[in-house]
Amino acid sequence: MESYNPKEIERKWQEVWLKQASAKIDKDDTRKKFYILDMFPYPSGTGLHMGHTESYTASDVFYRFKKMQGFNVLHPQGFDAFGLPAENYAIKTGVPPVETTRKNMENYIRQMRSLGFNYDFSEQAITSDPEYYKWTQWIFSEFYKNGLVYKKTQKTNWCSSCQTVIANEQVVENECERCGTGIEQKEMPTWFFKITDFAEELIADLDNVDWPEYTKKNQRAWIGKSEGTEFDFAIKDLPAGRQGSAEKIRVFTTRVDTVYGVTYVVVAPEHPVITQLESQIANRDEVFAYIEKSKNKTELDRMEAKEKTGVELDGIKAVNPFNGEEVPVFVADYVLGNYGTGAVMAVPAHDERDWDFAKKYDLSIKQSIAPIFVVKEGKDAIRDDAETVKRKTVVAIIKHWEEDKIFCLNWEKFGWKSFIIGGVEDNESGEEAAIREVKEESGFQNIKTIRKIGGEVHSNFYASHKGENRYAKTECYYIELGDGGFIEPKEEETKNHRGEWVKLKDISKYVNLNVHEWFCKIFENGDGAFVEDGVLVNSENYLEMSSEEAREKMTAWLEEKDLGKKVVNYRLRDWSISRQRYWGCPIPIVYSPEGEPHLVPVEHLPWMLPEDVDFVPTGVSPLAKSKELQERTEKIFGAGFTAEYDTMDTFVDSSWYFLRYPDVHNAQEFCSEKRKAWLPVDVYIGGAEHTYMHLLYARFFVKALHKIGHLSFKEPFLKLRHQGMVLDKEGKKMSKSKGNVINPDDMVEKFGADSVRMYMMFVAPLEDAVMWNEENIVGVRRFLERVWRLQEKIVAENTAVESLTHKAIKKVGEDIEAMKFNTAISAMMILVNEADKSGIAESSYELLVTILAPFAPHMAEEIWNNLGHTESIFVSSWPAYDPELIKDEKINLVVQVNGKVRDTIEVEADIAEDEAKKVALESEKVKAYVVGKEIRKIIYVKNKLISIVV
RNA sequence: GGGCGAGUGGUGAAAUUGGUAUACACUCGACACUUAAAAUGUCGCACCGUUUUCGGUAUGCGGGUUCGAGUCCCGCCUCGCCCACCA
């Protein structure tokens, strides 16, 4: 027999598959349909990368498996062919993008064939084909007609290097995702898709799809739903005739419960109220200088100066509707103009950003929420049968006059360790109480300094030394002693506790009561905003209410007074789709001489991308320079009409390509009703980097088309799986600059496609990172060689191998279904290792080759052929395993004594419980541990183990 | 700073979801075949002690639940990815 020669047999079978059009399916037969989809590639000049190789291998394995199971499987491929690199290449070389793209696509197809991927390339979707983008434009028109498209002049992210507008999602750390240039804000007329109309559905319907949990979570976070309250701060004392539109500032907050802690109001630099009130602002120049400066802030300024800045609007006061308090108004760029209402109520005590700002500008900080500690467990838990007594209390942290020591109380009877604590009498301030308690309880008389620490804290617990439930409101004071002047405390003060000095550095480990721990933390780390929920303080009618209840009550009050309402806000913004680029789908819009936009009617679609353009970007869209486009527009619509010169974001093209595959050649519809039966996609495989853009936009398209009535379903991808990254052997990302990029062509040349495929699938689970280490690939190559050589090790019968074969059939089938390709391969290795030693019956060998076929299709075809079959192995069906053959006759019964394995005994499978126990107890090894002891319990797990407890 | 995920031999990784931890591979070592090398095959490979047997300790660290924990609970540590003024 000839030795295994992958190069030869792979070329041979790739030609056969091509000639037989083995990837062709009858798309009108949807009886047992299955749609598995890859994320189509952008045809770049560098060709297929290893990430594609991995995910396309996974889908090819899955596709071949499903096909053998008898499904009519749609497994298409295409190209996301519009995009910047081809245009940039054109700028450099003058080669038109259409040509570059065509050449690159041919290379991709060659590469995909060389890896044995079985796609029907006569049924591609290529986004730059007029036949394809006709329908991109048609969908745009449908969205337009249904109010899902609008044009707005607004600040947009402008990349000065790419000379184009880019979407929020494409801005990374204030830099262009593609070229790394700093993003500027530029006013541009821009077309938007109203993706925010679907924000709620985009969150809710994630519950209905089988996607990785973290992908769902990230997408939910990206959409960023937040429920809160919007309400008005009136502007104080506007002179008559000045009131107009700016008599109030509307703010958005998720924490209306903190409203009594408002000490100022902040508006974003672009907030209209500033110009509306311009004449009232005393420090106009300063304010406008600030606004101008924040507009031109680059990402560098922001990174370096993390500190918040702002300017007060002198002469303007806002009125808190809850308590009538007048507070100053600031403009500051830490408030975003395009989120919420562009204005916030500032509560420094309960918001970190406001805290920082207030500290910097020395603004007042007012507590309105207190943390609350309720003891629910243990001996201090509140008791239903005890009375609750409310008390104001103080905690005093007393520092030694010379050493770094704190005076503490040890309540040995109760197990408490605390600072000095005591009640506040009527007609006594907290500070006075603290001083009095220190003198009475500690005996020390000479107080040098006293300073308040933190705010008010509430606690609810059972006070066993008093036999009552306590609801305590506690403040904390830090006291430094002047000297050791001391008067022995009265006995009643010290009967429950004993005073002791604790080293300063041990203090946080010493105190063990919740309120004391709380103050200790503030004492050690300093104060900050308390941002969690708690109970209301300093809040008039809402005292001691929980944050949650207060939010409801306060919002209801605002609604009743018509001052505000409950609202839901989303982080998600509408999708800006205009790009000032050439190599994209033209937006099917023309403008009348008056500048009114009109849709290009359907009969003129595709609205062709002109060819007579100069690619060099000037900030004006290249399409503006096309004579042909201008003439075409005027010819159809009349003199003076002009075309829209912007093209669409390429994410638009890729948001619906999966809808086209079932019916790619249809010139009348994007997909016929009949062929829509293929949809939605059953399994989608691709990189996790598409979580935020592509996957979100595609979901939006389907929801929008569903709403308009073109689709009957609401989610495009029922099951989604990500492949991990392919890294170099040191675990580093591959990049041109590091020179560690691996080219799939080289690997196929060196090891053969089947080995490359096997290695990709074997080395790690699909979703984990693959470290590409050429040393390790020999493992799967050896395996394939062994499979090959089994052709010479055929025996008449080998029941042990037959049993292993059926076990492998079961395991491989289940593992492919669950996309656990690595363990599927290891099951085949176990089988082959045994067969290599003891031979294999021809029937078993055929079964082995059949289950190997999805992974190593070329070799499988070749052996199958050598075994005398004339048809492709992929025509045969996935074998069923024989349940009788996978049953083990004997099992190893594990015997544990007190949880430790003491013996394993070979017994008949399905042994009865009594019998198993008997066998276990008869074991000499077990006896050594059991004899003379009382057996308390015996646990039996069927066909697994006996656990004896003595 | 926030969110998510992960830590198991020299390495990539398994573990039917609470039931013999380290399957399957790579590397490494020894041996066989060979004039030699490659290829191939056989054996060994978590750690410590006895070197047939056996016992003890190990899944980042520390506790807990359980007859039994890599898996569940609590508290730490380290790494990775994503997001980062979203009120």
Side-chain angles (χ1 to χ4, degrees):
Chain A
M1 189 192 62
E2 284 174 35
S3 60
Y4 173 47
N5 183 345
K7 214 177 271 183
E8 200 173 286
I9 66 175
E10 285 172 7
R11 192 186 318 111
K12 170 181 161 190
W13 287 102
Q14 282 161 18
E15 276 166 23
V16 171
W17 293 334
L18 191 59
K19 206 157 76 197
Q20 294 177 343
S22 63
K24 187 127 232 112
I25 62 164
D26 177 3
K27 287 187 176 174
D28 287 320
D29 178 5
T30 54
R31 279 170 302 175
K32 214 179 164 192
K33 71 103 186 171
F34 195 91
Y35 186 179
I36 173 165
L37 180 68
D38 293 300
M39 290 184 179
F40 64 169
Y42 172 79
S44 80
T46 50
L48 215 57
H49 58 68
M50 294 303 277
H52 293 131
T53 310
E54 189 192 5
S55 74
Y56 296 169
T57 299
S59 75
D60 195 69
V61 170
F62 201 83
Y63 146 76
R64 289 174 186 274
F65 170 68
K66 279 283 155 191
K67 192 173 160 182
M68 291 168 88
Q69 278 190 327
F71 288 92
N72 193 23
V73 189
L74 177 59
H75 178 227
Q77 189 57 287
F79 291 99
D80 190 13
F82 275 135
L84 274 179
E87 187 168 347
N88 289 339
Y89 187 72
I91 293 164
K92 254 197 278 177
T93 63
V95 180
V98 66
E99 254 171 62
T100 317
T101 306
R102 187 185 47 73
K103 229 180 82 193
N104 290 346
M105 289 192 294
E106 275 168 16
N107 185 43
Y108 269 69
I109 290 172
R110 177 192 62 74
Q111 288 184 301
M112 289 193 266
R113 284 196 174 125
S114 79
L115 280 153
F117 301 153
N118 203 33
Y119 296 115
D120 181 355
F121 288 109
S122 67
E123 297 270 316
Q124 298 180 78
I126 300 171
T127 58
S128 61
D129 268 1
E131 281 170 24
Y132 180 90
Y133 71 66
K134 171 180 178 178
W135 298 106
T136 309
Q137 293 168 336
W138 179 83
I139 292 169
F140 177 95
S141 310
E142 287 294 294
F143 285 5
Y144 190 92
K145 289 176 193 160
N146 286 279
L148 295 174
V149 182
Y150 64 95
K151 193 175 198 184
K152 204 169 116 185
T153 296
Q154 80 155 34
K155 254 187 168 178
T156 44
N157 306 305
W158 175 258
C159 172
S160 59
S161 162
C162 300
Q163 290 279 322
T164 189
V165 163
I166 58 177
N168 284 330
E169 285 81 349
Q170 287 158 286
V171 181
V172 178
E173 296 202 355
N174 247 305
E175 286 176 4
C176 174
E177 180 191 53
R178 240 171 241 285
C179 68
T181 308
I183 294 303
E184 299 163 29
Q185 298 298 305
K186 195 169 171 178
E187 292 276 344
M188 300 278 288
T190 302
W191 289 102
F192 286 89
F193 282 164
K194 273 173 114 172
I195 187 170
T196 53
D197 275 12
F198 297 87
E200 193 60 48
E201 278 182 67
L202 285 166
I203 291 175
D205 291 345
L206 284 172
D207 294 340
N208 306 328
V209 290
D210 175 10
W211 286 22
E213 262 327 298
Y214 73 91
T215 307
K216 292 190 191 185
K217 247 177 204 159
N218 285 342
Q219 212 169 86
R220 282 191 199 104
W222 186 267
I223 298 164
K225 180 177 181 173
S226 80
E227 294 176 64
T229 309
E230 241 180 53
F231 66 99
D232 297 325
F233 276 71
I235 291 164
K236 172 85 169 42
D237 285 344
L238 280 173
R242 284 272 175 208
Q243 279 155 6
S245 56
E247 58 196 25
K248 56 199 177 193
I249 299 172
R250 176 152 281 224
V251 299
F252 170 71
T253 179
T254 55
R255 290 296 305 272
V256 69
D257 54 306
T258 65
V259 72
Y260 283 87
V262 170
T263 55
Y264 59 98
V265 165
V266 194
V267 298
E270 56 268 59
H271 199 284
V273 79
I274 300 168
T275 39
Q276 283 159 355
L277 292 176
E278 192 179 340
S279 59
Q280 303 314 117
I281 301 171
N283 55 341
R284 217 167 301 148
D285 294 346
E286 193 191 354
V287 167
F288 282 92
Y290 176 78
I291 292 169
E292 203 47 45
K293 205 173 128 199
S294 69
K295 223 187 242 175
N296 294 331
K297 253 187 192 173
T298 67
E299 82 284 4
L300 272 179
D301 300 332
R302 289 194 139 207
M303 298 294 252
E304 277 164 21
K306 278 253 164 179
E307 237 174 42
K308 294 173 179 36
T309 58
V311 176
E312 185 174 351
L313 306 181
D314 282 347
I316 309 287
K317 294 277 181 212
V319 183
N320 184 338
F322 282 85
N323 56 10
E325 238 175 69
E326 293 170 22
V327 295
V329 179
F330 283 77
V331 54
D333 63 8
Y334 79 90
V335 171
L336 307 174
N338 55 358
Y339 181 78
T341 59
V344 301
M345 61 178 216
V347 186
H350 306 296
D351 181 284
E352 274 166 26
R353 293 151 302 185
D354 299 340
W355 174 277
D356 293 346
F357 192 79
K359 280 281 169 194
K360 180 169 175 189
Y361 291 101
D362 204 20
L363 304 166
S364 60
I365 296 171
K366 193 176 147 197
Q367 183 185 19
S368 59
I369 305 289
I372 177 153
F373 299 97
V374 180
V375 181
K376 287 183 180 143
E377 279 173 4
K379 61 184 172 39
D380 302 332
I382 36 177
R383 300 189 183 178
D384 292 341
D385 55 352
E387 220 176 308
T388 296
V389 177
K390 284 193 185 182
R391 282 196 77 189
K392 276 175 114 172
T393 61
V394 286
V395 164
I397 302 177
I398 307 171
K399 189 188 162 288
H400 194 271
W401 54 97
E402 274 173 352
E403 295 164 49
D404 283 341
K405 282 180 180 169
I406 302 294
F407 189 81
C408 295
L409 300 180
N410 190 341
W411 311 63
E412 270 157 347
K413 256 185 276 173
F414 308 99
W416 302 338
K417 287 177 172 179
S418 74
F419 300 116
I420 295 274
I421 176 113
V424 180
E425 309 288 340
D426 300 338
N427 313 321
E428 190 184 39
S429 73
E431 189 168 317
E432 286 160 356
I435 292 168
R436 179 179 50 72
E437 288 289 349
V438 167
K439 289 180 178 171
E440 287 174 8
E441 288 206 24
S442 76
F444 293 107
Q445 301 298 312
N446 192 342
I447 289 165
K448 194 168 75 183
T449 60
I450 179 161
R451 165 166 71 85
K452 196 172 179 226
I453 285 183
E456 184 177 328
V457 172
H458 291 199
S459 54
N460 198 356
F461 58 98
Y462 179 72
S464 37
H465 61 302
K466 305 274 169 154
E468 64 195 25
N469 289 329
R470 276 288 171 79
Y471 187 101
K473 304 177 184 180
T474 311
E475 290 179 346
C476 177
Y477 292 88
Y478 173 67
I479 285 168
E480 281 187 36
L481 296 174
D483 57 39
F486 183 77
I487 296 171
E488 192 64 34
K490 288 184 195 147
E491 202 203 319
E492 59 168 277
E493 295 288 349
T494 55
K495 66 178 179 204
N496 284 325
H497 51 69
R498 132 180 94 73
E500 58 189 4
W501 289 102
V502 178
K503 281 187 187 151
L504 192 60
K505 64 176 171 54
D506 299 330
I507 196 73
S508 59
K509 277 183 214 129
Y510 179 86
V511 293
N512 66 1
L513 288 175
N514 46 37
V515 170
H516 296 254
E517 285 167 354
W518 172 264
F519 284 122
C520 186
K521 219 181 245 173
I522 296 173
F523 170 59
E524 291 194 315
N525 306 329
D527 209 353
F530 171 66
V531 299
E532 272 143 63
D533 278 7
V535 288
L536 275 73
V537 296
N538 306 321
S539 300
E540 295 181 349
N541 303 329
Y542 303 93
L543 289 179
E544 285 173 37
M545 208 178 265
S546 73
S547 288
E548 202 181 338
E549 189 186 349
R551 282 194 286 270
E552 267 169 48
K553 295 256 163 76
M554 287 173 161
T555 306
W557 180 82
L558 287 165
E559 279 171 349
E560 193 189 302
K561 298 270 173 191
D562 202 24
L563 287 166
K565 60 179 185 197
K566 191 173 171 172
V567 290
V568 177
N569 262 315
Y570 298 91
R571 212 186 94 115
L572 185 71
R573 308 289 145 76
D574 278 336
W575 177 12
S576 149
I577 61 151
S578 299
R579 299 290 181 274
Q580 288 66 46
R581 298 301 299 221
Y582 169 71
W583 190 233
C585 175
I587 295 172
I589 290 280
V590 293
Y591 297 94
S592 69
E594 297 76 36
E596 279 298 305
H598 295 271
L599 268 182
V600 174
V602 172
E603 58 267 31
H604 295 296
L605 300 183
W607 186 240
M608 295 292 287
L609 184 65
E611 286 172 10
D612 60 330
V613 296
D614 174 8
F615 307 115
V616 179
T618 54
V620 180
S621 293
L623 268 56
K625 299 176 219 163
S626 165
K627 257 177 83 180
E628 185 272 317
L629 179 62
Q630 184 55 36
E631 284 167 11
R632 190 205 313 166
T633 304
E634 292 197 274
K635 192 173 153 207
I636 295 172
F637 299 96
F641 272 76
T642 53
E644 166 68 57
Y645 299 134
D646 288 353
T647 53
M648 293 188 217
D649 181 2
T650 54
F651 276 104
V652 178
D653 309 322
S654 56
S655 291
W656 74 277
Y657 74 108
F658 47 92
L659 304 174
R660 184 64 175 168
Y661 281 130
D663 207 2
V664 285
H665 300 302
N666 191 334
Q668 269 68 52
E669 296 165 283
F670 74 89
C671 183
S672 70
E673 280 311 308
K674 195 177 169 202
R675 295 278 180 95
K676 280 177 191 167
W678 282 99
L679 303 167
V681 174
D682 293 298
V683 176
Y684 196 27
I685 301 180
E689 68 273 18
H690 289 111
T691 300
Y692 301 108
M693 290 182 268
H694 166 60
L695 289 170
L696 194 62
Y697 294 151
R699 296 181 62 224
F700 156 64
F701 259 58
V702 164
K703 287 178 192 310
L705 287 169
H706 172 265
K707 192 182 171 196
I708 298 170
H710 295 301
L711 294 174
S712 60
F713 55 93
K714 292 171 76 176
E715 282 292 332
F717 315 119
L718 298 180
K719 178 169 173 169
L720 171 75
R721 292 294 180 270
H722 300 302
Q723 88 275 14
M725 277 192 291
V726 182
L727 308 168
D728 72 5
K729 64 178 174 192
E730 269 132 37
K732 295 203 183 76
K733 273 190 187 181
M734 293 185 185
S735 73
K736 258 192 208 162
S737 57
K738 281 192 217 127
N740 60 352
V741 178
I742 308 274
N743 182 343
D745 284 342
D746 298 342
M747 294 303 115
V748 170
E749 173 67 25
K750 215 162 163 179
F751 303 103
D754 283 339
S755 291
V756 171
R757 293 168 60 112
M758 291 286 292
Y759 180 60
M760 287 252 144
M761 296 296 96
F762 176 66
V763 71
L766 178 65
E767 63 279 8
D768 286 9
V770 166
M771 287 184 212
W772 189 265
N773 189 340
E774 284 186 32
E775 275 171 29
N776 294 343
I777 202 169
V778 299
V780 291
R781 176 65 190 253
R782 277 177 202 152
F783 165 74
L784 288 177
E785 299 265 11
R786 253 173 235 159
V787 172
W788 181 258
R789 284 198 309 265
L790 284 181
Q791 290 179 94
E792 292 179 326
K793 298 188 180 179
I794 304 289
V795 295
E797 193 186 63
N798 186 341
T799 49
V801 167
E802 189 183 16
S803 167
L804 279 176
T805 305
H806 282 262
K807 278 180 184 165
I809 292 169
K810 178 170 191 284
K811 175 96 176 130
V812 172
E814 286 169 359
D815 282 356
I816 295 178
E817 194 68 63
M819 299 208 191
K820 287 159 73 175
F821 304 111
N822 54 333
T823 49
I825 291 171
S826 78
M828 290 188 281
M829 285 174 164
I830 292 169
L831 161 60
V832 170
N833 286 346
E834 183 54 39
D836 187 53
K837 280 181 206 151
S838 58
I840 187 166
E842 183 159 331
S843 58
S844 295
Y845 192 36
E846 290 200 340
L847 291 169
L848 162 64
V849 174
T850 310
I851 59 174
L852 176 66
F855 297 90
H858 310 88
M859 170 181 274
E861 288 276 37
E862 182 70 15
I863 297 175
W864 191 246
N865 189 257
N866 291 348
L867 287 170
H869 296 275
T870 49
E871 277 197 305
S872 164
I873 192 168
F874 296 101
V875 177
S876 34
S877 46
W878 188 259
Y881 59 89
D882 183 341
E884 286 305 311
L885 287 173
I886 65 169
K887 264 194 199 154
D888 288 312
E889 280 164 23
K890 305 257 180 181
I891 56 139
N892 286 325
L893 184 71
V894 173
V895 187
Q896 296 182 341
V897 180
N898 286 345
K900 284 203 189 297
V901 178
R902 293 305 179 190
D903 199 4
T904 62
I905 308 164
E906 190 173 85
V907 297
E908 299 291 319
D910 295 331
I911 186 173
E913 180 167 353
D914 290 348
E915 186 66 17
K917 284 180 182 169
K918 211 180 111 200
V919 170
L921 289 169
E922 277 166 2
S923 155
E924 290 302 322
K925 288 178 191 162
V926 171
K927 275 183 186 164
Y929 292 94
V930 176
V931 162
K933 289 173 185 157
E934 184 200 352
I935 293 173
R936 292 194 296 166
K937 205 162 152 192
I938 299 181
I939 289 142
Y940 173 65
V941 181
K942 200 183 170 206
N943 285 342
K944 281 252 162 59
L945 63 74
I946 292 280
S947 183
I948 303 166
V949 189
V950 294

